[in-house]
Amino acid sequence: MNLNFEVDAGLQISATALGNSSDDLVVLLHGGGQTRHAWGATTKKLSECGFYTLAIDLRGHGDSDWCPNGDYAIENFRDDLVSIIKQIDRPASLVGASLGGMISLSLAGDESLSKHCNALIMVDIGINPNEDGSNEILNFMRSGSDGFGSIEEASDAISKYLPHRQKPKDLSGLKKNLRLNYDGKYYWHWDPQFIDSISKDKISYRKRLKSYANFVRVPTLLIKGALSNVLTQQEVDDFLITIPHTEFVEIDKAAHMVAGDRNDIFASAAVSFLANLDRTR
């Protein structure tokens, strides 16, 4: 079921919900430059296992509104998330990939807001991304700024960026991550202002996210793609030292896009963790 939430900032946030609305709530937040459709198979698996699963398009991404003022700080995304959770009126287990993980961490680790979160799953992201890996992602995102002449051209760009992943024969799913502009070209389905925003003031971000991590008390799972250059062993060690109650899973033959590379194993790890939570906490 497709839903729209009007958040406190006045933006319309699009989402897909699966499962029984009375079941435990799980909210999934995609990475920068992605859309909620990145979670397609995961939402299906979670809903089949007894969770009410909500995958959202972050502001400036997919079918959600772009922010006219270019307000794409971590806390802006977090405030949208809190507004949605309040409307559903019960706390959520948060599953965040990359940027989505940073947003989830900023909620779970905020003393005044953490009541809205009862579990945290970080998908191939530590307290902060590895600098080199992060820059590689941003460079890839910037490389499509002039648009693509066809969906096939966009697919070729992805294959060059993710050589370990087999190129799909059916490219129809890629349409959900692209928008056809008036000039006849396909562009990634996100606001170009987003890149400028997250590229600014990285040092301040790192300090704030470290502060959030120091306060996390909810059950936490860190999932790493074995081939990832965004969550390296150094970032893993820092995360496990900072949040020592964290459970850790590494998924073989997966890079940064863990859910896309090995969704079967990823979804099973997430379900196992969530199913064993102590609901009496």
Side-chain angles (χ1 to χ4, degrees):
M1 177 189 299
N2 291 324
L3 302 173
N4 278 294
F5 295 90
E6 182 172 343
V7 296
D8 293 342
L11 301 176
Q12 292 289 325
I13 301 296
S14 295
T16 297
L18 288 178
N20 189 325
S21 60
S22 64
D23 287 340
D24 292 326
L25 174 64
V26 179
V27 179
L28 298 104
L29 297 95
H30 60 75
Q34 295 184 314
T35 71
R36 69 188 190 276
H37 301 294
W39 297 113
T42 304
T43 53
K44 185 174 184 295
K45 175 75 171 179
L46 286 168
S47 65
E48 290 172 348
C49 292
F51 298 97
Y52 181 52
T53 309
L54 187 73
I56 68 174
D57 279 342
L58 301 175
R59 63 165 63 191
H61 292 72
D63 297 321
S64 291
D65 285 347
W66 290 9
C67 185
N69 299 324
D71 293 332
Y72 295 113
I74 295 295
E75 288 80 6
N76 295 135
F77 291 113
R78 181 194 64 193
D79 291 346
D80 294 343
L81 173 60
V82 171
S83 180
I84 290 170
I85 292 174
K86 285 181 176 179
Q87 290 178 54
I88 299 175
D89 196 28
R90 63 182 188 275
S93 295
L94 304 178
V95 182
S98 199
L99 172 67
M102 297 166 72
I103 297 164
S104 300
L105 181 65
S106 75
L107 173 52
D110 186 296
E111 187 171 6
S112 65
L113 298 173
S114 59
K115 63 184 179 182
H116 300 297
C117 173
N118 53 25
L120 176 66
I121 298 181
M122 301 283 286
V123 186
D124 209 71
I125 187 70
I127 297 171
N128 281 282
N130 175 270
E131 188 73 19
D132 292 338
S134 175
N135 288 336
E136 188 174 315
I137 293 173
L138 292 175
N139 289 337
F140 170 71
M141 293 175 70
R142 291 189 182 99
S143 70
S145 60
D146 292 332
F148 302 99
S150 65
I151 294 176
E152 289 76 12
E153 188 178 327
S155 178
D156 288 342
I158 294 174
S159 294
K160 185 177 180 180
Y161 175 60
L162 302 173
H164 68 282
R165 186 184 294 184
Q166 185 176 358
K167 183 177 180 180
K169 294 180 181 179
D170 183 4
L171 302 181
S172 58
L174 185 55
K175 291 181 180 179
K176 296 175 181 178
N177 291 318
L178 295 165
R179 55 184 174 83
L180 183 60
N181 206 3
Y182 66 90
D183 60 2
K185 290 186 176 182
Y186 290 90
Y187 293 82
W188 297 125
H189 215 339
W190 45 268
D191 184 352
Q193 291 186 93
F194 162 70
I195 287 239
D196 296 331
S197 178
I198 64 172
S199 297
K200 294 177 181 176
D201 206 12
K202 287 185 178 180
I203 295 176
S204 176
Y205 267 156
R206 289 182 179 276
K207 289 180 179 178
R208 279 152 45 207
L209 287 167
K210 185 71 171 181
S211 176
Y212 292 135
N214 284 327
F215 184 78
V216 171
R217 301 291 182 268
V218 297
T220 302
L221 172 64
L222 177 63
I223 299 179
K224 179 187 187 306
L227 305 177
S228 175
N229 65 344
V230 175
L231 180 63
T232 66
Q233 191 59 48
Q234 180 179 345
E235 280 79 42
V236 170
D237 292 343
D238 180 46
F239 195 95
L240 297 181
I241 290 171
T242 306
I243 311 176
H245 63 269
T246 300
E247 297 180 34
F248 175 65
V249 173
E250 182 170 284
I251 297 182
D252 191 33
K253 298 179 182 178
H256 184 52
M257 309 298 181
V258 178
D261 289 343
R262 301 296 303 275
N263 183 73
D264 52 343
I265 300 175
F266 164 75
S268 294
V271 167
S272 177
F273 173 76
L274 293 170
N276 286 292
L277 291 177
D278 181 0
R279 298 299 175 186
T280 64
R281 291 180 75 258

